[in-house]
Amino acid sequence: MGIRRTGKISTGAAGRLLLFFALGQAALALGQAPSVETVRPLAVQPGQTTRLVFTGKNLANAASLWTSFPSSTVPVSDDLAKGNRAAFDVTVPLDIPVQIGAVRLASPKGVGEFRLLMVDDLPNLAEVSGNESRERAQFVAGPISVDGIGNGTQLDWFEFEAFKNEAISFEVIANRLGSNFDPAVRVYEASGRLLASFGDSPGIAPDLQFRHRFNKTGRYFLRLRDMAYAGGRGSFFRLRVGDFPIVSGVFPQGSKRGELKPFYPISKQSLPPVLATPVGAEIWLNFKLPNGVGSAYRRLAVGEAPNAYDAEPNDMPSQANAINLPSAINGRFEKPNDRDWYAVNLTKSDRVRFTGATRTLGSPCDLMLRVTDAAGKTLAESKITGDSDGEVSAEAKSDGVHFLEVRELAEQAGKHLVYRIEAERVQPGFSLTIAEHAFTAKAGEPFSVKVTATRNKYDPPIQLQLEGAANGMKIEGATIAKGKKETTLKITPPANAKPGTLYAFSVTGKGEKGSTAVVTQTNESLLKQFRLMAPFPTVLRSQLHATIIE
């Protein structure tokens, strides 16, 4: 079977895959683009080949599968002609960390939606039907991950064994994979006595995780249900069972690209720091217990600014920690009514911006940011919005020291309440956006991509270029002229490109004096689907796909 691989794309005589979230406009308009309803299993394993099976509509002759993580994919030939089923053998390198990723497939008829998928170091197991009562509970022997369906008022029962004083970790992943399942768990002894109940876990809610120590050897039961007894299409879960740590946060929550740094897990289990050198747009760190099986996993931010750190006491302006610009401030709220103050020297008319990151990185706190002058006069403060982790911009009215006050909105306190704030001067520059993320074209024929520029005291031309797997694609109209706000790219794929080939690419813009920007998308259907998910795969904000159609 001939397979052509470009970066993270496999194209061949056929295949197909999954996707779940509503987005693609041009491809969906065809009415015959791949549409996936289920995918099993919900994870692929590092160092192994996993067969992913997708069910849905218009899946015949899907030819390309994109993954957000490195992989090799081969379509299963026996399923090529089936319109309601597709399968791929997906091989993931052993060194790929446990994470939440994404996949997308295409056929000669168009491109499907993104679908979230896990990379997991625990083995896969399918839930059996009929486990609606304790008497019919499905027996599971950890370490294992069970993929199941939420069925409204129906309960899901699982039976397992534990030794005296054995501690077992449990995690339910649903929202983080795009499911509407809101898990609630109860653990029972074999006698029926309730041992513990668990709901939302801070930082990953409505998903949950916990670790329980059993005081005697025996059989136990776990009951899983949807908190609201909802269910139906789009309600599914992944139950992880094993000896992995429960990590509620990491400090710091990111670092400068290319710098080796220690990262400290926040956990009730004793865990050493992990040394890592961040590269790319994000980094996934994994944590394991000594001799444990299975990993905890956390996504961290990667940037260009050096780290600065919260150093107590800094509860008032006179104790403020001095910072330089640019920097990435890393702090936490360890005591009730905590206030963290930072000082920065500004020149009159300087504009500064502080951008927080908490829930987007799995921290359960909400930031309130306030900028003051040396006399304590408020220049600006952040607004409470549902899709922001806190952001504030201000202009200095005079030369001298200025202050940033950081507090937790609900006055929560704890080691797990960590935050990261990008602090920078607002320089003349630009940002670039696009309203779409999926395109279709015939081989050798151009497709259009409209790019919009938002300028900030920057008028020179902006040169655009393609990045990623855009091999052989030609680009026209790659300049946003001086003072103009948009251009329409004409991108032409190779004349010999085969129908079903999926090109994954991004667009970057370069201006004068080293100013650059990556085009990010404003597609509302995509953003609404992923807005409340933590962690949200950042690659999806800039990832574009073009599919060759018949």
Side-chain angles (χ1 to χ4, degrees), residues 393-431:
S393 298
E395 181 176 337
K397 304 301 182 183
S398 60
D399 295 348
V401 66
H402 288 67
F403 297 99
L404 170 68
E405 180 195 23
V406 184
R407 66 180 177 88
E408 210 286 321
L409 177 62
E411 305 292 1
Q412 298 182 89
K415 289 185 177 181
H416 63 294
L417 294 167
V418 294
Y419 62 82
R420 181 175 173 87
I421 301 172
E422 296 283 350
E424 60 185 340
R425 280 187 173 86
V426 180
Q427 305 285 3
F430 56 89
S431 60

Side-chain angles (χ1 to χ4, degrees), residues 13 86 89 102 108 116 121 151 170 183 204 288 332 357 380 396 485 534 550:
D89 287 332
L116 298 184
D121 55 4
N151 293 308
F170 302 85
I204 62 171
K288 280 191 171 184
R332 71 174 94 202
K485 295 183 178 180
E550 296 173 331

Side-chain angles (χ1 to χ4, degrees), residues 11-44:
T11 61
R16 50 267 209 214
L17 232 163
L18 80 83
L19 301 13
F20 174 74
F21 293 100
L23 356 66
Q25 298 170 355
L28 297 183
L30 293 174
Q32 294 179 320
S35 176
V36 173
E37 296 178 0
T38 67
V39 57
R40 292 295 181 274
L42 294 171
V44 292

Side-chain angles (χ1 to χ4, degrees), residues 430 458 460-463 509-517:
F430 56 89
Y458 181 90
I462 302 169
Q463 301 296 325
K510 294 186 177 181
E512 295 181 352
K513 298 181 180 180
S515 56
T516 63

Side-chain angles (χ1 to χ4, degrees), residues 46-62:
Q48 297 190 27
T49 297
T50 304
R51 176 160 293 185
L52 290 177
V53 177
F54 310 90
T55 63
K57 299 178 181 178
N58 307 321
L59 300 182
N61 295 318

Side-chain angles (χ1 to χ4, degrees), residues 30-115:
L30 293 174
Q32 294 179 320
S35 176
V36 173
E37 296 178 0
T38 67
V39 57
R40 292 295 181 274
L42 294 171
V44 292
Q45 289 184 264
Q48 297 190 27
T49 297
T50 304
R51 176 160 293 185
L52 290 177
V53 177
F54 310 90
T55 63
K57 299 178 181 178
N58 307 321
L59 300 182
N61 295 318
S64 299
L65 171 63
W66 170 84
T67 65
S68 64
F69 44 85
S71 69
S72 173
T73 62
V74 178
V76 178
S77 58
D78 291 346
D79 289 317
L80 294 180
K82 299 176 182 178
N84 62 353
R85 175 186 165 97
F88 277 82
D89 287 332
V90 181
T91 304
V92 178
L94 183 61
D95 60 349
I96 301 303
V98 175
Q99 61 184 276
I100 304 292
V103 295
R104 189 178 216 178
L105 82 103
S107 78
K109 300 296 184 181
V111 61
E113 308 97 341
F114 286 111
R115 181 95 183 209

Side-chain angles (χ1 to χ4, degrees), residues 87-152:
F88 277 82
D89 287 332
V90 181
T91 304
V92 178
L94 183 61
D95 60 349
I96 301 303
V98 175
Q99 61 184 276
I100 304 292
V103 295
R104 189 178 216 178
L105 82 103
S107 78
K109 300 296 184 181
V111 61
E113 308 97 341
F114 286 111
R115 181 95 183 209
L116 298 184
L117 189 77
M118 191 172 181
V119 177
D120 195 354
D121 55 4
L122 293 180
N124 294 313
L125 179 68
E127 181 186 27
V128 300
S129 60
N131 62 333
E132 303 106 347
S133 65
R134 194 178 70 174
E135 293 72 25
R136 302 183 65 183
Q138 178 179 356
F139 184 79
V140 295
I144 201 74
S145 285
V146 184
D147 294 332
I149 298 292
N151 293 308

Side-chain angles (χ1 to χ4, degrees), residues 252-257 259 261 301-310 321-331 341-346 351-357 369 392 402 404 406 419-427:
Q253 286 194 294
S255 188
K256 183 178 180 180
R257 183 175 289 106
E259 284 192 354
K261 291 288 184 181
V302 180
E304 301 300 330
N307 277 359
Y309 297 94
D310 166 27
N321 300 152
I323 61 170
N324 297 315
L325 298 179
S327 63
I329 305 168
N330 294 271
W341 285 83
Y342 301 93
V344 58
N345 283 306
L346 300 176
R351 286 195 60 82
V352 290
R353 178 168 55 234
F354 301 95
T355 306
L369 308 177
V392 64
H402 288 67
L404 170 68
V406 184
Y419 62 82
R420 181 175 173 87
I421 301 172
E422 296 283 350
E424 60 185 340
R425 280 187 173 86
V426 180
Q427 305 285 3

